Amino acid sequence: MSVQIAKHWFTVAEYDRMGAAGIFPAGARVELIEGEIIEMSPIGKRHAACVNRLTTLLVRAIDPAGIVSVQNPIRLHDFSEPQPDVAILKPRADFYAQALPAPADVLFIIEVCDTTLEYDRQIKLPLYARAGIAEVWLVNLADEQIETYTQPVGDAYQITAHVQRGADVQAQASADLRISVAAVLG
C-alpha cells in the first residue's frame, strides 16, 4: 500500500512572516525556492572575495544606470524569493524600500558558484528563466570561467556562452558593461 504525503508549499508572505517572527536562527542563510525553504551553502573565502570583486567592478561600471544589489532577495512570484549573489536592478528613487524587486526590475543576475554549480544550473537557472530574467551569469570558480545565459524561453535559456580567463564578458543588458574575467576571478 502506497502512502501519499502532502507537502505544504510556503508563500512569500508566510516566509516573510516566519522571518519577522524570528523562526529562523540569527544569521540563517535561507531562501524560498518554489515554496520550499532552502538552506543556502555557507559562504567561503573564495566565494566572498569574488562577490566583493564583482561588487566593486560593477558599481564602477554601472553607476548611475543601475543599482548593484548584493545577496538581497528578489520576489519572482508568490512562491519564490531567491537571494542571488549579485543583481543589477533598474534605478529606482526609493532603492526598492517600498517593495522588493520583481523580475521586471532586474537587468541581470550573477550567481557565484563554488560548491553550488549544479544546484545553480539545475534549480536556479530554470527558475530565473521561467520568471523572464533576461540574463544570468554563473561565475564558475572551479573551471575559472563565467557562463552567460540569455534569451529565456520557458524554463531554459536559448543562448549560452562560456567566457574564459583572459577574455572579457559583455553584458547584454548594457553595451557599456564589459568586464575582464580575470578581474572577477582574481
Side-chain angles (χ1 to χ4, degrees):
M1 177 165 119
S2 132
V3 175
Q4 292 283 329
I5 297 176
K7 283 188 175 185
H8 175 81
W9 303 108
F10 293 103
T11 66
V12 168
E14 291 169 326
Y15 173 72
D16 290 345
R17 283 195 303 272
M18 286 187 279
I23 290 175
F24 307 122
R29 291 186 28 82
V30 295
E31 61 186 353
L32 185 67
I33 304 294
E34 300 292 14
E36 295 186 74
I37 299 170
I38 306 296
E39 188 171 355
M40 298 165 65
S41 295
I43 297 174
K45 294 181 290 190
R46 194 169 165 205
H47 184 281
C50 185
V51 170
N52 289 339
R53 280 190 295 276
L54 274 166
T55 303
T56 300
L57 292 165
L58 290 166
V59 165
R60 289 177 187 158
I62 204 84
D63 186 55
I67 295 172
V68 179
S69 179
V70 180
Q71 297 172 338
N72 290 319
I74 295 172
R75 184 175 181 174
L76 297 182
H77 53 72
D78 287 342
F79 294 94
S80 289
E81 194 174 278
Q83 296 178 33
D85 288 308
V86 180
I88 305 304
L89 307 174
K90 292 178 182 175
R92 206 164 88 182
D94 73 344
F95 286 82
Y96 298 92
Q98 301 303 312
L100 290 176
D105 300 313
V106 177
L107 297 173
F108 69 99
I109 285 177
I110 303 172
E111 294 284 3
V112 176
C113 312
D114 194 1
T115 61
T116 61
L117 183 60
E118 290 310 309
Y119 176 77
D120 289 334
R121 281 183 183 153
Q122 295 173 10
I123 304 298
K124 283 197 158 179
L125 273 176
L127 179 71
Y128 293 145
R130 283 191 301 275
I133 303 295
E135 182 172 4
V136 177
W137 295 1
L138 297 184
V139 179
N140 180 338
L141 294 176
D143 294 331
E144 295 200 327
Q145 65 184 4
I146 297 176
E147 302 172 12
T148 63
Y149 298 84
T150 56
Q151 294 189 9
V153 174
D155 65 354
Y157 286 90
Q158 302 306 300
I159 298 177
T160 64
H162 296 252
V163 186
Q164 307 295 321
R165 184 184 285 278
D168 291 344
V169 62
Q170 171 69 52
Q172 176 183 314
S174 171
D176 297 331
L177 183 58
R178 180 181 286 287
I179 296 176
S180 159
V181 174
V184 172
L185 296 172

